[in-house]
Amino acid sequence: MHQRKKVLLIEDDQFSRFMMKEVIDMLGVRVDVAENGREGCDAVDENPGDYGLILMDLHMPEMSGIDATQYIRSQEPPNTVPIIAVTADVDYHDDTVIAKLGMNGFASKPVSPGQLMDLIDQYCHVH
């Protein structure tokens, strides 16, 4: 059996980060954690093909999730890893708005274990 690709969780809130990481760990999927967009971009730069899914908070200090997504999408060759916005901000609970930002979808905070499982099942398979 092939091992699933890793999840990159980019979240500045310590409690949200802890809870989502715990659920992902329980699902048996490897997860790397970044506390802001800059750390997330560094992780993608270091291991561009490792991730099957990026869970991206939008509002973070140092570098926002929006700026981090633009950076990831601007790489050569283009990085097409699925990026899901994880946000409580209802302005971004809209597929059209999210698509314009270069993201593949959104999950409303708080993200349920079932939502995380569905996202991982959808995106973290190995071809």
Side-chain angles (χ1 to χ4, degrees), residues 70-82:
Q70 290 172 345
Y71 174 84
I72 291 166
R73 294 294 189 234
S74 71
Q75 298 308 292
E76 288 295 331
N79 192 322
T80 59
V81 61

Side-chain angles (χ1 to χ4, degrees), residues 5-119:
K5 287 192 164 198
K6 289 193 287 187
V7 172
L8 177 57
L9 171 60
I10 306 173
E11 168 65 62
D12 68 315
D13 180 74
Q14 184 177 359
F15 181 75
S16 295
R17 195 170 56 239
F18 173 80
M19 295 304 295
M20 286 192 280
K21 183 181 182 315
E22 286 294 303
V23 171
I24 296 166
D25 284 341
M26 285 181 3
L27 295 171
V29 177
R30 295 170 301 148
V31 58
D32 289 341
V33 177
E35 295 184 15
N36 60 58
R38 170 58 50 216
E39 288 181 13
C41 289
D42 290 345
V44 172
D45 283 345
E46 291 168 18
N47 306 291
D50 284 7
Y51 301 108
L53 174 65
I54 296 175
L55 298 172
M56 179 83 75
D57 185 15
L58 294 183
H59 302 298
M60 294 179 286
E62 196 167 330
M63 179 185 261
S64 73
I66 295 167
D67 290 340
T69 298
Q70 290 172 345
Y71 174 84
I72 291 166
R73 294 294 189 234
S74 71
Q75 298 308 292
E76 288 295 331
N79 192 322
T80 59
V81 61
I83 300 174
I84 301 297
V86 180
T87 183
D89 188 337
V90 295
D91 290 340
Y92 296 97
H93 294 177
D94 181 313
D95 287 326
T96 304
V97 171
I98 290 299
K100 287 179 182 174
L101 297 175
M103 297 180 173
N104 300 79
F106 68 89
S108 305
K109 283 184 182 176
V111 181
S112 72
Q115 282 178 296
L116 284 174
M117 188 167 60
D118 290 345
L119 289 167

